[in-house]
Amino acid sequence: MPTTTNAPRPREVRTLADKLLEVHDWLREQLGHLRAEAAAHLAARAAHQGPGEPPAPGLGLQIRQRCLEFCDALAFHHTGEDEHVFPAVLEHHPDLREPLARLAVEHREAARLKDRVLALLDDVATTGPQEFLTEFDTLAELLTAHLDHEEGWLVPVLADVPFPPGPPS
């Protein structure tokens, strides 16, 4: 029997909407991987009994590095949308001013939560995995809802925009 995964299928990227969905799929996938790694680390710490070296008391360098990379990618993505995509959409669809403003507010809220998660990672040796999981879950919940909301507004608008863009006509 074939196994199934929650991994998104690779998609052919022909439009800016396709590219947006590809990036959003990657962000969702990374959220799942990071959550699973942090939860596994927490479980290993809780299960350790007896002699020998226990798992590292903090979150572990690998989890920290992956989380930092994810947070950098998220910031890059949202900055690109705020500075390039949203203004271009607004130029052609002024009727979307309010939804785009709401999406920008959601970007700022995600950045605030991302900064809280990053603050927990400042001291990898003492960050409590349970505290990290709580903050990470808050970020993941907000980000997942944001991605869904953003796709509802932007995918139809970006579906006619070729990607990569061709030379100006």
Side-chain angles (χ1 to χ4, degrees), residues 123-151:
D123 186 0
V124 73
T126 61
T127 296
Q130 191 58 54
E131 182 181 9
F132 174 82
L133 287 177
T134 299
E135 290 298 323
F136 185 83
D137 287 346
T138 301
L139 171 61
E141 183 178 317
L142 176 123
L143 186 57
T144 300
H146 165 74
L147 297 174
D148 292 343
H149 178 240
E150 189 170 82
E151 289 167 5

PDB file of all heavy atoms in Angstrom, residues 123-151:
ATOM      1  N   ASP A 123      19.247  32.264  23.741  1.00  0.00           N
ATOM      2  CA  ASP A 123      20.092  31.456  24.621  1.00  0.00           C
ATOM      3  C   ASP A 123      19.702  29.994  24.438  1.00  0.00           C
ATOM      4  O   ASP A 123      18.876  29.452  25.153  1.00  0.00           O
ATOM      5  CB  ASP A 123      19.935  31.892  26.072  1.00  0.00           C
ATOM      6  CG  ASP A 123      20.907  31.169  26.985  1.00  0.00           C
ATOM      7  OD1 ASP A 123      21.702  30.336  26.495  1.00  0.00           O
ATOM      8  OD2 ASP A 123      20.872  31.430  28.198  1.00  0.00           O
ATOM      9  N   VAL A 124      20.332  29.362  23.450  1.00  0.00           N
ATOM     10  CA  VAL A 124      19.974  28.000  23.071  1.00  0.00           C
ATOM     11  C   VAL A 124      20.127  27.012  24.228  1.00  0.00           C
ATOM     12  O   VAL A 124      19.435  26.011  24.292  1.00  0.00           O
ATOM     13  CB  VAL A 124      20.767  27.560  21.824  1.00  0.00           C
ATOM     14  CG1 VAL A 124      22.215  27.297  22.143  1.00  0.00           C
ATOM     15  CG2 VAL A 124      20.127  26.366  21.167  1.00  0.00           C
ATOM     16  N   ALA A 125      21.010  27.298  25.166  1.00  0.00           N
ATOM     17  CA  ALA A 125      21.258  26.359  26.265  1.00  0.00           C
ATOM     18  C   ALA A 125      20.149  26.369  27.309  1.00  0.00           C
ATOM     19  O   ALA A 125      19.970  25.380  28.014  1.00  0.00           O
ATOM     20  CB  ALA A 125      22.594  26.678  26.932  1.00  0.00           C
ATOM     21  N   THR A 126      19.409  27.461  27.424  1.00  0.00           N
ATOM     22  CA  THR A 126      18.407  27.521  28.491  1.00  0.00           C
ATOM     23  C   THR A 126      16.973  27.663  27.999  1.00  0.00           C
ATOM     24  O   THR A 126      16.059  27.613  28.815  1.00  0.00           O
ATOM     25  CB  THR A 126      18.717  28.693  29.454  1.00  0.00           C
ATOM     26  OG1 THR A 126      18.683  29.910  28.714  1.00  0.00           O
ATOM     27  CG2 THR A 126      20.066  28.505  30.127  1.00  0.00           C
ATOM     28  N   THR A 127      16.770  27.840  26.719  1.00  0.00           N
ATOM     29  CA  THR A 127      15.406  27.968  26.225  1.00  0.00           C
ATOM     30  C   THR A 127      14.640  26.690  26.513  1.00  0.00           C
ATOM     31  O   THR A 127      15.076  25.598  26.158  1.00  0.00           O
ATOM     32  CB  THR A 127      15.403  28.238  24.710  1.00  0.00           C
ATOM     33  OG1 THR A 127      16.019  29.494  24.472  1.00  0.00           O
ATOM     34  CG2 THR A 127      13.988  28.277  24.161  1.00  0.00           C
ATOM     35  N   GLY A 128      13.514  26.828  27.161  1.00  0.00           N
ATOM     36  CA  GLY A 128      12.689  25.669  27.465  1.00  0.00           C
ATOM     37  C   GLY A 128      11.900  25.237  26.243  1.00  0.00           C
ATOM     38  O   GLY A 128      11.193  26.046  25.644  1.00  0.00           O
ATOM     39  N   PRO A 129      12.015  23.982  25.851  1.00  0.00           N
ATOM     40  CA  PRO A 129      11.273  23.519  24.673  1.00  0.00           C
ATOM     41  C   PRO A 129       9.765  23.716  24.784  1.00  0.00           C
ATOM     42  O   PRO A 129       9.122  24.060  23.798  1.00  0.00           O
ATOM     43  CB  PRO A 129      11.644  22.038  24.580  1.00  0.00           C
ATOM     44  CG  PRO A 129      12.977  21.958  25.234  1.00  0.00           C
ATOM     45  CD  PRO A 129      12.928  22.958  26.344  1.00  0.00           C
ATOM     46  N   GLN A 130       9.190  23.530  25.969  1.00  0.00           N
ATOM     47  CA  GLN A 130       7.740  23.709  26.092  1.00  0.00           C
ATOM     48  C   GLN A 130       7.356  25.165  25.869  1.00  0.00           C
ATOM     49  O   GLN A 130       6.361  25.460  25.206  1.00  0.00           O
ATOM     50  CB  GLN A 130       7.241  23.217  27.456  1.00  0.00           C
ATOM     51  CG  GLN A 130       5.733  23.138  27.519  1.00  0.00           C
ATOM     52  CD  GLN A 130       5.154  22.207  26.445  1.00  0.00           C
ATOM     53  OE1 GLN A 130       5.534  21.050  26.323  1.00  0.00           O
ATOM     54  NE2 GLN A 130       4.230  22.721  25.651  1.00  0.00           N
ATOM     55  N   GLU A 131       8.143  26.077  26.410  1.00  0.00           N
ATOM     56  CA  GLU A 131       7.893  27.504  26.191  1.00  0.00           C
ATOM     57  C   GLU A 131       8.020  27.833  24.699  1.00  0.00           C
ATOM     58  O   GLU A 131       7.210  28.562  24.139  1.00  0.00           O
ATOM     59  CB  GLU A 131       8.881  28.335  27.007  1.00  0.00           C
ATOM     60  CG  GLU A 131       8.671  29.820  26.884  1.00  0.00           C
ATOM     61  CD  GLU A 131       9.688  30.624  27.678  1.00  0.00           C
ATOM     62  OE1 GLU A 131      10.669  30.047  28.202  1.00  0.00           O
ATOM     63  OE2 GLU A 131       9.500  31.846  27.759  1.00  0.00           O
ATOM     64  N   PHE A 132       9.046  27.261  24.078  1.00  0.00           N
ATOM     65  CA  PHE A 132       9.232  27.477  22.643  1.00  0.00           C
ATOM     66  C   PHE A 132       8.032  26.946  21.866  1.00  0.00           C
ATOM     67  O   PHE A 132       7.518  27.621  20.980  1.00  0.00           O
ATOM     68  CB  PHE A 132      10.518  26.799  22.163  1.00  0.00           C
ATOM     69  CG  PHE A 132      10.697  26.857  20.677  1.00  0.00           C
ATOM     70  CD1 PHE A 132      11.216  27.983  20.063  1.00  0.00           C
ATOM     71  CD2 PHE A 132      10.317  25.790  19.876  1.00  0.00           C
ATOM     72  CE1 PHE A 132      11.371  28.047  18.692  1.00  0.00           C
ATOM     73  CE2 PHE A 132      10.451  25.839  18.495  1.00  0.00           C
ATOM     74  CZ  PHE A 132      10.987  26.976  17.903  1.00  0.00           C
ATOM     75  N   LEU A 133       7.589  25.729  22.198  1.00  0.00           N
ATOM     76  CA  LEU A 133       6.454  25.137  21.482  1.00  0.00           C
ATOM     77  C   LEU A 133       5.202  25.998  21.605  1.00  0.00           C
ATOM     78  O   LEU A 133       4.464  26.172  20.634  1.00  0.00           O
ATOM     79  CB  LEU A 133       6.158  23.729  21.999  1.00  0.00           C
ATOM     80  CG  LEU A 133       7.148  22.637  21.613  1.00  0.00           C
ATOM     81  CD1 LEU A 133       6.759  21.320  22.270  1.00  0.00           C
ATOM     82  CD2 LEU A 133       7.241  22.483  20.119  1.00  0.00           C
ATOM     83  N   THR A 134       4.961  26.537  22.765  1.00  0.00           N
ATOM     84  CA  THR A 134       3.785  27.387  22.962  1.00  0.00           C
ATOM     85  C   THR A 134       3.855  28.618  22.067  1.00  0.00           C
ATOM     86  O   THR A 134       2.889  28.951  21.371  1.00  0.00           O
ATOM     87  CB  THR A 134       3.669  27.793  24.445  1.00  0.00           C
ATOM     88  OG1 THR A 134       3.516  26.603  25.233  1.00  0.00           O
ATOM     89  CG2 THR A 134       2.486  28.722  24.682  1.00  0.00           C
ATOM     90  N   GLU A 135       4.998  29.286  22.078  1.00  0.00           N
ATOM     91  CA  GLU A 135       5.155  30.490  21.250  1.00  0.00           C
ATOM     92  C   GLU A 135       5.156  30.127  19.763  1.00  0.00           C
ATOM     93  O   GLU A 135       4.566  30.835  18.947  1.00  0.00           O
ATOM     94  CB  GLU A 135       6.447  31.228  21.609  1.00  0.00           C
ATOM     95  CG  GLU A 135       6.407  31.882  22.965  1.00  0.00           C
ATOM     96  CD  GLU A 135       5.335  32.959  23.090  1.00  0.00           C
ATOM     97  OE1 GLU A 135       5.086  33.701  22.118  1.00  0.00           O
ATOM     98  OE2 GLU A 135       4.734  33.036  24.175  1.00  0.00           O
ATOM     99  N   PHE A 136       5.808  29.036  19.430  1.00  0.00           N
ATOM    100  CA  PHE A 136       5.858  28.606  18.029  1.00  0.00           C
ATOM    101  C   PHE A 136       4.455  28.261  17.528  1.00  0.00           C
ATOM    102  O   PHE A 136       4.079  28.632  16.413  1.00  0.00           O
ATOM    103  CB  PHE A 136       6.807  27.414  17.861  1.00  0.00           C
ATOM    104  CG  PHE A 136       6.988  27.016  16.433  1.00  0.00           C
ATOM    105  CD1 PHE A 136       7.892  27.674  15.623  1.00  0.00           C
ATOM    106  CD2 PHE A 136       6.233  25.995  15.889  1.00  0.00           C
ATOM    107  CE1 PHE A 136       8.056  27.324  14.295  1.00  0.00           C
ATOM    108  CE2 PHE A 136       6.375  25.639  14.559  1.00  0.00           C
ATOM    109  CZ  PHE A 136       7.292  26.305  13.758  1.00  0.00           C
ATOM    110  N   ASP A 137       3.674  27.572  18.347  1.00  0.00           N
ATOM    111  CA  ASP A 137       2.310  27.212  17.955  1.00  0.00           C
ATOM    112  C   ASP A 137       1.453  28.461  17.732  1.00  0.00           C
ATOM    113  O   ASP A 137       0.612  28.485  16.823  1.00  0.00           O
ATOM    114  CB  ASP A 137       1.662  26.302  18.998  1.00  0.00           C
ATOM    115  CG  ASP A 137       2.232  24.897  18.977  1.00  0.00           C
ATOM    116  OD1 ASP A 137       2.940  24.532  18.007  1.00  0.00           O
ATOM    117  OD2 ASP A 137       1.983  24.150  19.942  1.00  0.00           O
ATOM    118  N   THR A 138       1.653  29.485  18.537  1.00  0.00           N
ATOM    119  CA  THR A 138       0.923  30.740  18.350  1.00  0.00           C
ATOM    120  C   THR A 138       1.280  31.353  16.999  1.00  0.00           C
ATOM    121  O   THR A 138       0.400  31.776  16.240  1.00  0.00           O
ATOM    122  CB  THR A 138       1.230  31.724  19.496  1.00  0.00           C
ATOM    123  OG1 THR A 138       0.849  31.116  20.733  1.00  0.00           O
ATOM    124  CG2 THR A 138       0.488  33.035  19.322  1.00  0.00           C
ATOM    125  N   LEU A 139       2.581  31.386  16.694  1.00  0.00           N
ATOM    126  CA  LEU A 139       3.035  31.906  15.395  1.00  0.00           C
ATOM    127  C   LEU A 139       2.482  31.052  14.253  1.00  0.00           C
ATOM    128  O   LEU A 139       1.970  31.581  13.264  1.00  0.00           O
ATOM    129  CB  LEU A 139       4.560  31.943  15.332  1.00  0.00           C
ATOM    130  CG  LEU A 139       5.182  32.273  13.961  1.00  0.00           C
ATOM    131  CD1 LEU A 139       4.766  33.657  13.485  1.00  0.00           C
ATOM    132  CD2 LEU A 139       6.698  32.139  14.033  1.00  0.00           C
ATOM    133  N   ALA A 140       2.576  29.744  14.382  1.00  0.00           N
ATOM    134  CA  ALA A 140       2.123  28.840  13.315  1.00  0.00           C
ATOM    135  C   ALA A 140       0.624  28.998  13.054  1.00  0.00           C
ATOM    136  O   ALA A 140       0.190  29.015  11.903  1.00  0.00           O
ATOM    137  CB  ALA A 140       2.452  27.394  13.673  1.00  0.00           C
ATOM    138  N   GLU A 141      -0.157  29.135  14.109  1.00  0.00           N
ATOM    139  CA  GLU A 141      -1.606  29.298  13.944  1.00  0.00           C
ATOM    140  C   GLU A 141      -1.922  30.604  13.216  1.00  0.00           C
ATOM    141  O   GLU A 141      -2.708  30.623  12.263  1.00  0.00           O
ATOM    142  CB  GLU A 141      -2.280  29.286  15.317  1.00  0.00           C
ATOM    143  CG  GLU A 141      -3.787  29.386  15.262  1.00  0.00           C
ATOM    144  CD  GLU A 141      -4.399  29.328  16.651  1.00  0.00           C
ATOM    145  OE1 GLU A 141      -3.968  28.507  17.471  1.00  0.00           O
ATOM    146  OE2 GLU A 141      -5.328  30.128  16.900  1.00  0.00           O
ATOM    147  N   LEU A 142      -1.293  31.681  13.641  1.00  0.00           N
ATOM    148  CA  LEU A 142      -1.530  32.964  12.985  1.00  0.00           C
ATOM    149  C   LEU A 142      -1.048  32.930  11.538  1.00  0.00           C
ATOM    150  O   LEU A 142      -1.745  33.388  10.631  1.00  0.00           O
ATOM    151  CB  LEU A 142      -0.825  34.097  13.733  1.00  0.00           C
ATOM    152  CG  LEU A 142      -0.971  35.442  13.033  1.00  0.00           C
ATOM    153  CD1 LEU A 142      -1.605  36.469  13.936  1.00  0.00           C
ATOM    154  CD2 LEU A 142       0.352  35.922  12.504  1.00  0.00           C
ATOM    155  N   LEU A 143       0.130  32.371  11.317  1.00  0.00           N
ATOM    156  CA  LEU A 143       0.699  32.351   9.972  1.00  0.00           C
ATOM    157  C   LEU A 143      -0.135  31.484   9.028  1.00  0.00           C
ATOM    158  O   LEU A 143      -0.381  31.870   7.883  1.00  0.00           O
ATOM    159  CB  LEU A 143       2.147  31.865  10.011  1.00  0.00           C
ATOM    160  CG  LEU A 143       2.897  31.930   8.692  1.00  0.00           C
ATOM    161  CD1 LEU A 143       2.904  33.342   8.118  1.00  0.00           C
ATOM    162  CD2 LEU A 143       4.324  31.431   8.890  1.00  0.00           C
ATOM    163  N   THR A 144      -0.593  30.354   9.482  1.00  0.00           N
ATOM    164  CA  THR A 144      -1.414  29.479   8.646  1.00  0.00           C
ATOM    165  C   THR A 144      -2.718  30.176   8.256  1.00  0.00           C
ATOM    166  O   THR A 144      -3.121  30.143   7.085  1.00  0.00           O
ATOM    167  CB  THR A 144      -1.695  28.155   9.378  1.00  0.00           C
ATOM    168  OG1 THR A 144      -0.442  27.507   9.650  1.00  0.00           O
ATOM    169  CG2 THR A 144      -2.557  27.227   8.546  1.00  0.00           C
ATOM    170  N   ALA A 145      -3.358  30.825   9.206  1.00  0.00           N
ATOM    171  CA  ALA A 145      -4.590  31.565   8.900  1.00  0.00           C
ATOM    172  C   ALA A 145      -4.290  32.707   7.929  1.00  0.00           C
ATOM    173  O   ALA A 145      -5.056  32.957   6.994  1.00  0.00           O
ATOM    174  CB  ALA A 145      -5.219  32.106  10.184  1.00  0.00           C
ATOM    175  N   HIS A 146      -3.155  33.377   8.130  1.00  0.00           N
ATOM    176  CA  HIS A 146      -2.769  34.469   7.232  1.00  0.00           C
ATOM    177  C   HIS A 146      -2.545  33.962   5.810  1.00  0.00           C
ATOM    178  O   HIS A 146      -3.020  34.575   4.849  1.00  0.00           O
ATOM    179  CB  HIS A 146      -1.507  35.162   7.741  1.00  0.00           C
ATOM    180  CG  HIS A 146      -0.865  36.033   6.719  1.00  0.00           C
ATOM    181  ND1 HIS A 146      -1.391  37.248   6.340  1.00  0.00           N
ATOM    182  CD2 HIS A 146       0.240  35.842   5.959  1.00  0.00           C
ATOM    183  CE1 HIS A 146      -0.628  37.768   5.388  1.00  0.00           C
ATOM    184  NE2 HIS A 146       0.365  36.940   5.145  1.00  0.00           N
ATOM    185  N   LEU A 147      -1.822  32.859   5.664  1.00  0.00           N
ATOM    186  CA  LEU A 147      -1.553  32.315   4.334  1.00  0.00           C
ATOM    187  C   LEU A 147      -2.863  31.971   3.627  1.00  0.00           C
ATOM    188  O   LEU A 147      -3.038  32.277   2.436  1.00  0.00           O
ATOM    189  CB  LEU A 147      -0.638  31.094   4.414  1.00  0.00           C
ATOM    190  CG  LEU A 147       0.772  31.344   4.961  1.00  0.00           C
ATOM    191  CD1 LEU A 147       1.523  30.018   5.116  1.00  0.00           C
ATOM    192  CD2 LEU A 147       1.554  32.317   4.118  1.00  0.00           C
ATOM    193  N   ASP A 148      -3.782  31.348   4.344  1.00  0.00           N
ATOM    194  CA  ASP A 148      -5.090  31.010   3.764  1.00  0.00           C
ATOM    195  C   ASP A 148      -5.820  32.277   3.327  1.00  0.00           C
ATOM    196  O   ASP A 148      -6.371  32.346   2.219  1.00  0.00           O
ATOM    197  CB  ASP A 148      -5.947  30.241   4.767  1.00  0.00           C
ATOM    198  CG  ASP A 148      -5.408  28.850   5.075  1.00  0.00           C
ATOM    199  OD1 ASP A 148      -4.568  28.331   4.304  1.00  0.00           O
ATOM    200  OD2 ASP A 148      -5.827  28.279   6.110  1.00  0.00           O
ATOM    201  N   HIS A 149      -5.838  33.274   4.191  1.00  0.00           N
ATOM    202  CA  HIS A 149      -6.519  34.536   3.895  1.00  0.00           C
ATOM    203  C   HIS A 149      -5.865  35.228   2.699  1.00  0.00           C
ATOM    204  O   HIS A 149      -6.555  35.686   1.789  1.00  0.00           O
ATOM    205  CB  HIS A 149      -6.475  35.432   5.143  1.00  0.00           C
ATOM    206  CG  HIS A 149      -7.095  36.760   4.954  1.00  0.00           C
ATOM    207  ND1 HIS A 149      -6.400  37.926   5.113  1.00  0.00           N
ATOM    208  CD2 HIS A 149      -8.351  37.117   4.600  1.00  0.00           C
ATOM    209  CE1 HIS A 149      -7.206  38.943   4.870  1.00  0.00           C
ATOM    210  NE2 HIS A 149      -8.388  38.486   4.558  1.00  0.00           N
ATOM    211  N   GLU A 150      -4.559  35.279   2.694  1.00  0.00           N
ATOM    212  CA  GLU A 150      -3.838  35.935   1.604  1.00  0.00           C
ATOM    213  C   GLU A 150      -4.102  35.240   0.268  1.00  0.00           C
ATOM    214  O   GLU A 150      -4.317  35.900  -0.755  1.00  0.00           O
ATOM    215  CB  GLU A 150      -2.342  35.923   1.926  1.00  0.00           C
ATOM    216  CG  GLU A 150      -1.504  36.745   0.986  1.00  0.00           C
ATOM    217  CD  GLU A 150      -0.089  36.878   1.494  1.00  0.00           C
ATOM    218  OE1 GLU A 150       0.704  35.932   1.275  1.00  0.00           O
ATOM    219  OE2 GLU A 150       0.229  37.912   2.101  1.00  0.00           O
ATOM    220  N   GLU A 151      -4.093  33.929   0.278  1.00  0.00           N
ATOM    221  CA  GLU A 151      -4.356  33.187  -0.953  1.00  0.00           C
ATOM    222  C   GLU A 151      -5.754  33.481  -1.481  1.00  0.00           C
ATOM    223  O   GLU A 151      -5.953  33.577  -2.699  1.00  0.00           O
ATOM    224  CB  GLU A 151      -4.157  31.686  -0.722  1.00  0.00           C
ATOM    225  CG  GLU A 151      -2.701  31.329  -0.535  1.00  0.00           C
ATOM    226  CD  GLU A 151      -2.472  29.924  -0.009  1.00  0.00           C
ATOM    227  OE1 GLU A 151      -3.451  29.156   0.132  1.00  0.00           O
ATOM    228  OE2 GLU A 151      -1.308  29.602   0.280  1.00  0.00           O
TER     229      GLU A 151
END
